[in-house]
Amino acid sequence: MELKNFLGMRSVALLTVCTFVALCAAASTKKFSRGFPFPPHLIGTNYSAMNDLQAYKEKYDPVDLGIDLLDDHAPEYIRRALGEASLSDPAYNQYTPNDGTVRLRTAIADLYSPLVGQPLNPAENVLVTIGATEAMHSAIVGHTFADDEWILIEPAYSMYLPMIRMAGGVPRFTALKLNATGAPASGDDWKLDQEELQSLFNERTKGIILNNPVNPVGKVYTAEELEFIAELARERDVLVISDEAHEWITHKPHRRIASLPGMYERTITVGSASKSFSLAGWRIGWAYGHRDVLNHVKTVHMNSVDCAPAPQQEALAFAFEEEIRHFGSAHSYFATHREHVRRLRDMLVEAFADVGLKPVVASGGFCMLVDWTPIKSRVPRLAGSMDFAMWFIKHIGVLGLPATSYFGEEHKSIGQDYARFCYHKKVDTLEEAARKLSKLKGLL
């Protein structure tokens, strides 16, 4: 009898436990039944062209000219400075002031003050960020009220649009138009549609995102184009966020829009160690401008990332100081780097032209567009830029990015005939790409 009672009690206990577990499961199911939908303003921002190309890249192992990821060493004197900074003082491995180290902000101010014609105060007018990307993000978020409109000039770097949407802003688009008068075409043949740009302004316009030089076409804006943009900005009382990450890799004069009359007070200029010193992995960028507009950027930066990496800041300050010491001479890194990149560009231009494709010669930056349509009649299933990119990986063994990645829906058709290729690679890499491109000779 006692055994029977014991087993009965045990069954009741087991039933109680099972009932409790079932109720918990039901409650859990009910609690999460609604799911966690993607916020509407983020829909589409988690996609990039590499989502579609990654499987092809892994399967065919192409020469990667798609991403501007350098495959050679950055300058040795800067790399040594990083090691020395990390080993020399405990402070260089700890937090820095939110705005950046005094030494780096001072060096940035010393370099850019004469270039923009303003006495930049390191304490007020300079901010060190985690790459140019964070500087752009903080600038857009820091200045955007709900439904503020930002004008994007396409082709536009792919992160600008998500940044505007995440800030609660509204993008408005105008597109550069290719108007080539000679062959080969150049990045500067992509012209600003002044009438279209002017038509986008209204009472909700907060500002313009300017990329100079332009990634991916390699355009360097002319003085006349910058004057036109500046006149609109002054007249309509709007901001300009000028992404000048590739400023030191230009093969024609580069003018900063902040240097134009009345523009310093309404311009946030962004720079990057990734491009200026070939240090993409260090994640150091900067922004400078009038304190009244830079303060917004500082506020977002302080409350999201706090500060940039300390030892990299110390080493980069040394690099800036060295550049200031040699500025304007043929021996400065900016000068030698620019010439090195020009030679790499010319190698890839020649390789594409030699097999019958049409490279668009960049006047600045690390990348260029190539018109792939000469092979269209031989491979008629290629309906657009993404089809070409996939076919090129599989059959030629070279990875490029579809140029449609840099256009919104309204202007995406402009990019369908082009793919973007990065030429800032080791000579061996470009030579391997040229050998693979030779497969096209049988097609054209």
PDB file of all heavy atoms in Angstrom, residues 39 41 145 203 210 218 267 368 385 406:
ATOM      1  N   PRO A  39      12.599  46.811 -38.587  1.00  0.00           N
ATOM      2  CA  PRO A  39      12.000  48.149 -38.640  1.00  0.00           C
ATOM      3  C   PRO A  39      11.903  48.639 -40.089  1.00  0.00           C
ATOM      4  O   PRO A  39      12.841  48.450 -40.870  1.00  0.00           O
ATOM      5  CB  PRO A  39      12.992  49.005 -37.841  1.00  0.00           C
ATOM      6  CG  PRO A  39      13.680  48.046 -36.928  1.00  0.00           C
ATOM      7  CD  PRO A  39      13.780  46.765 -37.713  1.00  0.00           C
ATOM      8  N   HIS A  41      12.273  51.372 -41.597  1.00  0.00           N
ATOM      9  CA  HIS A  41      13.297  52.270 -42.132  1.00  0.00           C
ATOM     10  C   HIS A  41      14.633  51.562 -42.368  1.00  0.00           C
ATOM     11  O   HIS A  41      15.546  52.150 -42.977  1.00  0.00           O
ATOM     12  CB  HIS A  41      13.504  53.475 -41.208  1.00  0.00           C
ATOM     13  CG  HIS A  41      14.093  53.145 -39.876  1.00  0.00           C
ATOM     14  ND1 HIS A  41      13.394  52.505 -38.875  1.00  0.00           N
ATOM     15  CD2 HIS A  41      15.343  53.353 -39.369  1.00  0.00           C
ATOM     16  CE1 HIS A  41      14.166  52.341 -37.814  1.00  0.00           C
ATOM     17  NE2 HIS A  41      15.358  52.853 -38.093  1.00  0.00           N
ATOM     18  N   PHE A 145      16.725  65.792 -38.352  1.00  0.00           N
ATOM     19  CA  PHE A 145      15.424  65.720 -37.715  1.00  0.00           C
ATOM     20  C   PHE A 145      14.562  64.746 -38.535  1.00  0.00           C
ATOM     21  O   PHE A 145      14.868  64.450 -39.682  1.00  0.00           O
ATOM     22  CB  PHE A 145      14.741  67.094 -37.701  1.00  0.00           C
ATOM     23  CG  PHE A 145      15.352  68.080 -36.738  1.00  0.00           C
ATOM     24  CD1 PHE A 145      16.651  68.549 -36.921  1.00  0.00           C
ATOM     25  CD2 PHE A 145      14.620  68.547 -35.654  1.00  0.00           C
ATOM     26  CE1 PHE A 145      17.211  69.464 -36.040  1.00  0.00           C
ATOM     27  CE2 PHE A 145      15.174  69.469 -34.774  1.00  0.00           C
ATOM     28  CZ  PHE A 145      16.481  69.928 -34.955  1.00  0.00           C
ATOM     29  N   GLU A 203      11.770  73.242 -48.655  1.00  0.00           N
ATOM     30  CA  GLU A 203      11.892  73.692 -47.260  1.00  0.00           C
ATOM     31  C   GLU A 203      12.335  72.577 -46.317  1.00  0.00           C
ATOM     32  O   GLU A 203      12.733  72.847 -45.180  1.00  0.00           O
ATOM     33  CB  GLU A 203      10.560  74.287 -46.781  1.00  0.00           C
ATOM     34  CG  GLU A 203       9.409  73.300 -46.648  1.00  0.00           C
ATOM     35  CD  GLU A 203       8.734  73.001 -47.984  1.00  0.00           C
ATOM     36  OE1 GLU A 203       9.147  73.589 -49.018  1.00  0.00           O
ATOM     37  OE2 GLU A 203       7.794  72.184 -48.007  1.00  0.00           O
ATOM     38  N   LEU A 210      28.292  65.222 -50.435  1.00  0.00           N
ATOM     39  CA  LEU A 210      29.237  65.373 -51.540  1.00  0.00           C
ATOM     40  C   LEU A 210      30.374  64.382 -51.349  1.00  0.00           C
ATOM     41  O   LEU A 210      30.915  64.248 -50.255  1.00  0.00           O
ATOM     42  CB  LEU A 210      29.782  66.805 -51.560  1.00  0.00           C
ATOM     43  CG  LEU A 210      30.762  67.165 -52.675  1.00  0.00           C
ATOM     44  CD1 LEU A 210      30.081  67.140 -54.029  1.00  0.00           C
ATOM     45  CD2 LEU A 210      31.381  68.537 -52.411  1.00  0.00           C
ATOM     46  N   GLY A 218      35.623  57.864 -59.992  1.00  0.00           N
ATOM     47  CA  GLY A 218      36.919  58.529 -60.035  1.00  0.00           C
ATOM     48  C   GLY A 218      36.858  59.958 -60.538  1.00  0.00           C
ATOM     49  O   GLY A 218      37.839  60.487 -61.045  1.00  0.00           O
ATOM     50  N   THR A 267      29.929  73.452 -43.695  1.00  0.00           N
ATOM     51  CA  THR A 267      30.499  72.232 -44.271  1.00  0.00           C
ATOM     52  C   THR A 267      31.196  71.397 -43.202  1.00  0.00           C
ATOM     53  O   THR A 267      31.965  71.918 -42.396  1.00  0.00           O
ATOM     54  CB  THR A 267      31.516  72.569 -45.375  1.00  0.00           C
ATOM     55  OG1 THR A 267      30.869  73.332 -46.396  1.00  0.00           O
ATOM     56  CG2 THR A 267      32.091  71.301 -45.988  1.00  0.00           C
ATOM     57  N   MET A 368      37.751  52.250 -60.502  1.00  0.00           N
ATOM     58  CA  MET A 368      37.262  52.788 -61.766  1.00  0.00           C
ATOM     59  C   MET A 368      36.126  51.915 -62.275  1.00  0.00           C
ATOM     60  O   MET A 368      35.971  50.759 -61.862  1.00  0.00           O
ATOM     61  CB  MET A 368      38.379  52.846 -62.804  1.00  0.00           C
ATOM     62  CG  MET A 368      38.889  51.491 -63.235  1.00  0.00           C
ATOM     63  SD  MET A 368      40.238  51.645 -64.421  1.00  0.00           S
ATOM     64  CE  MET A 368      40.544  49.922 -64.786  1.00  0.00           C
ATOM     65  N   SER A 385      24.385  44.495 -64.944  1.00  0.00           N
ATOM     66  CA  SER A 385      25.674  44.543 -64.262  1.00  0.00           C
ATOM     67  C   SER A 385      25.902  43.358 -63.324  1.00  0.00           C
ATOM     68  O   SER A 385      27.005  42.820 -63.252  1.00  0.00           O
ATOM     69  CB  SER A 385      25.775  45.861 -63.493  1.00  0.00           C
ATOM     70  OG  SER A 385      27.053  46.056 -62.972  1.00  0.00           O
ATOM     71  N   TYR A 406      25.648  51.346 -56.669  1.00  0.00           N
ATOM     72  CA  TYR A 406      25.876  52.736 -56.289  1.00  0.00           C
ATOM     73  C   TYR A 406      24.751  53.664 -56.746  1.00  0.00           C
ATOM     74  O   TYR A 406      24.894  54.883 -56.704  1.00  0.00           O
ATOM     75  CB  TYR A 406      27.227  53.203 -56.853  1.00  0.00           C
ATOM     76  CG  TYR A 406      28.358  52.355 -56.341  1.00  0.00           C
ATOM     77  CD1 TYR A 406      28.767  51.210 -57.019  1.00  0.00           C
ATOM     78  CD2 TYR A 406      28.984  52.660 -55.137  1.00  0.00           C
ATOM     79  CE1 TYR A 406      29.781  50.405 -56.521  1.00  0.00           C
ATOM     80  CE2 TYR A 406      29.996  51.859 -54.636  1.00  0.00           C
ATOM     81  CZ  TYR A 406      30.391  50.733 -55.336  1.00  0.00           C
ATOM     82  OH  TYR A 406      31.383  49.940 -54.834  1.00  0.00           O
TER      83      TYR A 406
END
